[in-house]
Amino acid sequence: MGHFLRCHTVRHPSDRWTKAENNFMTGGTPAPLPGSGHLDDRQHRVRRNPMLFTTPVVLLVALTAMVFWEATRMNLSPARKEQWPWRLALLDAEALCSLLAVCLAFVLGRAQFARAVRPIIGWNGYVNRDMNARNRRTRLRGRPALVWVVGLRNGGMHSATLESVAYHVQPKGQLVVAADVQWLGYAAAVAELEALGLRLGKDFDLHALGVGTPLGVTVDRDGLYTARFSAPAISLLDNVYVRIRVIDAVGDTHERILHCLRAAEIEIRSALAQES
């Protein structure tokens, strides 16, 4: 994770900044790796396109059953074929085999193409130095405020479309079981952070990611700007989770949960130690 890549305007009251800064420098906030968490952050597919996946698979199963049916009928005696239910003739065996081969080729081709266009959703966090916003105490020290910035990335070979974004705010000491997590919308997440005494635009910033936003192949190492947190905000939060769901080129939906504050404390402590 790189340092000092972009500047944001963030101002902190001197007393809050000093307390948070001292905690980071002395290790006074005892936390292992923040966000090592209880929510699985591995990408997984949550839904397949029913028209391009479910329908062909159902047809493949049906054709397979029909082929076995006709193969069984072919091995019966003529007298037995006149009895019910063996009198039921579906399609010619040769035609069934041809249809089965075409359907199987489509299913396998679709699976291979889906793997090729599968997005690889990732994120990166880095420490930024705020060169513009300096309160009186930081100006005297010559030490601008530091912020933690989170960017969203797509490392796949094809673009994806953002389907939904949800948030979960986890203050320190308030662990919620994964099954009981209540995902919030953008406005509700901002309100919950403000309820902790944090100020929008100063202590934190959540980028409003709109549904339908194209998530192209990421070339910029910073990724798509997603969130920013100040040192006082990090000292109050164990993590802020962002659940990203995107739709790929074949209509499948993929999900990944970003652990926005993972390693944030350690990275900021490292940056401050390099200054001292």
Side-chain angles (χ1 to χ4, degrees):
M1 297 185 184
H3 297 277
F4 319 133
L5 298 179
R6 186 187 299 131
C7 296
H8 298 277
T9 301
V10 183
R11 293 182 175 86
H12 305 277
S14 58
D15 55 341
R16 295 180 66 195
W17 168 251
T18 303
K19 180 179 179 181
E21 181 179 351
N22 289 338
N23 282 339
F24 285 128
M25 287 297 291
T26 62
T29 304
L33 193 62
S36 300
H38 64 297
L39 295 182
D40 187 2
D41 68 341
R42 292 174 295 182
Q43 179 178 322
H44 60 280
R45 185 186 290 107
V46 295
R47 184 170 57 253
R48 297 181 187 270
N49 185 327
M51 182 62 67
L52 296 179
F53 178 78
T54 306
T55 301
V57 169
V58 170
L59 181 59
L60 178 65
V61 172
L63 288 173
T64 302
M66 292 168 67
V67 168
F68 276 106
W69 176 266
E70 288 300 322
T72 303
R73 288 185 73 252
M74 290 176 61
N75 291 307
L76 297 177
S77 62
R80 187 68 183 276
K81 288 183 182 181
E82 296 300 322
Q83 301 176 7
W84 188 258
W86 302 111
R87 294 174 56 185
L88 180 62
L90 300 174
L91 280 177
D92 178 83
E94 183 177 346
L96 279 174
C97 290
S98 298
L99 289 173
L100 180 62
V102 171
C103 188
L104 180 60
F106 178 84
V107 170
L108 293 178
R110 192 269 183 196
Q112 184 177 8
F113 181 68
R115 186 173 182 84
V117 301
R118 176 178 177 266
I120 302 176
I121 306 303
W123 66 276
N124 63 312
Y126 51 90
V127 176
N128 252 1
R129 181 195 295 275
D130 180 10
M131 300 299 296
N132 299 318
R134 299 187 181 185
N135 58 41
R136 180 174 178 274
R137 186 167 300 185
T138 56
R139 216 172 26 241
L140 291 174
R141 296 178 181 178
R143 184 183 298 170
L146 297 178
V147 291
W148 177 254
V149 183
V150 178
L152 177 65
R153 301 171 57 87
N154 176 16
M157 300 298 294
H158 291 263
S159 299
T161 304
L162 196 62
E163 182 187 60
S164 67
V165 182
Y167 304 85
H168 172 58
V169 178
Q170 182 178 307
K172 284 191 181 297
Q174 297 184 19
L175 180 64
V176 179
V177 179
D180 298 331
V181 167
Q182 297 295 321
W183 292 101
L184 306 173
Y186 176 80
V190 170
E192 185 159 341
L193 288 167
E194 289 181 325
L196 297 174
L198 301 175
R199 298 160 302 171
L200 178 64
K202 295 178 179 288
D203 295 321
F204 75 94
D205 179 38
L206 297 180
H207 181 46
L209 299 170
V211 175
T213 299
L215 188 60
V217 178
T218 305
V219 178
D220 182 8
R221 57 183 280 181
D222 297 348
L224 176 64
Y225 175 66
T226 304
R228 169 173 51 84
F229 301 93
S230 68
I234 296 171
S235 67
L236 293 177
L237 297 168
D238 179 69
N239 216 326
V240 174
Y241 300 98
V242 182
R243 187 183 68 186
I244 302 292
R245 286 185 175 177
V246 300
I247 302 176
D248 64 15
V250 294
D252 294 346
T253 301
H254 303 264
E255 175 185 294
R256 185 165 189 188
I257 298 176
L258 314 184
H259 294 210
C260 290
L261 298 185
R262 173 173 289 172
E265 285 192 22
I266 296 175
E267 288 289 324
I268 290 185
R269 286 170 58 188
S270 173
L272 289 171
Q274 293 175 34
E275 294 179 351
S276 60

